[in-house]
Amino acid sequence: RKEVEQDPGPFNVPEGATVAFNCTYSNSASQSFFWYRQDCRKEPKLLMSVYSSGNEDGRFTAQLNRASQYISLLIRDSKLSDSATYLCVVKSPGGYNKLIFGAGTRLAVHP
Amino acid sequence: EPEVTQTPSHQVTQMGQEVILRCVPISNHLYFYWYRQILGQKVEFLVSFYNNEISEKSEIFDDQFSVERPDGSNFTLKIRSTKLEDSAMYFCARVDPQVTDTQYFGPGTRLTVL
């Protein structure tokens, strides 16, 4: 089983749509979770951390289900500028903060 | 303005040559990381560096790779004898000292090995 698994997409949605991405992770001891956004040939940029209670940042909502080892990202009212690859990222248990990346889910928002 | 800068932005080299990739933090940090991303693949951890020592490294980080902080500021990744499969984007990342879980990535160096 892959350490972090995501549906690669692509998700093609119109502007204004709501889209949800899912991610599963294999190590139940993992404690920290993130969503990063990556534009083509650019660096990953932190979108948001994911907390157990769920958290929201504007149009973006992240949820964590530890029992199912499942993380989600919901984007409401999609904008053209949301087109990117969304990376599910898990911090490896242990002391040195190594990040384990999923392969990413590609989102294309069209007019 | 990026909090971490990397040089060069693009490096082209011949197979077997040595390359040095540089990461320059804007402010003083203790934790640094190197990751790589082969085109079309996921981002992979290479090595973490804390307080001028390697704290963890992956299987990818073999004897051909080394890291150091030669002047207490710049943070370098050296590949001694490049192979075609070393062609990738190499990202340096630093930890936010206020939130040590969170890593911020530099713009990357694209390495092309011919």
Side-chain angles (χ1 to χ4, degrees):
Chain A
R1 183 180 174 186
K2 290 179 184 175
E3 291 183 281
V4 180
E5 199 149 5
Q6 298 181 249
D7 180 343
F11 284 61
N12 292 299
V13 302
E15 275 185 289
T18 296
V19 62
F21 305 138
N22 304 318
C23 167
T24 56
Y25 60 95
S26 62
N27 192 332
S28 60
S30 301
Q31 294 295 316
S32 299
F33 311 91
F34 310 90
W35 284 101
Y36 279 75
R37 168 197 169 125
Q38 187 175 33
D39 294 292
C40 188
R41 294 189 178 238
K42 299 288 188 182
E43 74 273 24
K45 290 189 176 175
L46 179 69
L47 184 64
M48 57 199 306
S49 301
V50 186
Y51 303 118
S52 297
S53 53
N55 47 302
E56 188 173 309
D57 183 1
R59 298 182 291 109
F60 299 86
T61 301
Q63 297 277 354
L64 168 64
N65 183 323
R66 287 189 188 273
S68 304
Q69 293 175 213
Y70 171 94
I71 306 160
S72 65
L73 177 69
L74 183 79
I75 305 175
R76 290 181 299 279
D77 188 23
S78 300
K79 312 288 184 196
L80 295 175
S81 56
D82 293 334
S83 298
T85 298
Y86 290 83
L87 307 176
C88 178
V89 181
V90 177
K91 184 171 89 80
S92 176
Y96 299 112
N97 292 339
K98 176 177 81 173
L99 296 182
I100 302 168
F101 284 75
T105 299
R106 198 149 56 88
L107 171 66
V109 182
H110 57 83
Chain B
E1 184 181 4
E3 297 176 25
V4 173
T5 60
Q6 292 186 242
T7 59
S9 57
H10 190 191
Q11 173 92 46
V12 181
T13 190
Q14 296 290 326
M15 193 168 57
Q17 294 297 303
E18 175 183 283
V19 294
I20 297 176
L21 312 182
R22 290 182 173 80
C23 174
V24 184
I26 302 299
S27 54
N28 193 23
H29 296 109
L30 293 177
Y31 285 97
F32 291 93
Y33 305 81
W34 283 99
Y35 294 82
R36 80 169 185 192
Q37 185 176 30
I38 295 170
L39 187 62
Q41 298 187 23
K42 66 178 182 178
V43 177
E44 300 173 290
F45 168 79
L46 289 177
V47 65
S48 60
F49 195 76
Y50 170 65
N51 208 21
N52 298 327
E53 288 185 356
I54 290 176
S55 50
E56 187 175 4
K57 57 184 180 179
S58 70
E59 292 175 356
I60 303 168
F61 195 88
D62 61 21
D63 292 344
Q64 293 300 313
F65 290 87
S66 62
V67 288
E68 58 181 20
R69 200 172 187 189
D71 56 9
S73 176
N74 291 353
F75 178 47
T76 63
L77 174 70
K78 183 192 292 185
I79 308 175
R80 289 190 185 83
S81 178
T82 50
K83 308 184 195 61
L84 295 176
E85 55 265 35
D86 292 327
S87 295
M89 285 290 289
Y90 288 81
F91 296 109
C92 171
R94 63 118 184 142
V95 163
D96 182 340
Q98 304 299 322
V99 185
T100 55
D101 276 357
T102 307
Q103 292 184 27
Y104 296 92
F105 287 75
T109 293
R110 190 191 318 169
L111 176 65
T112 302
V113 182
L114 304 175

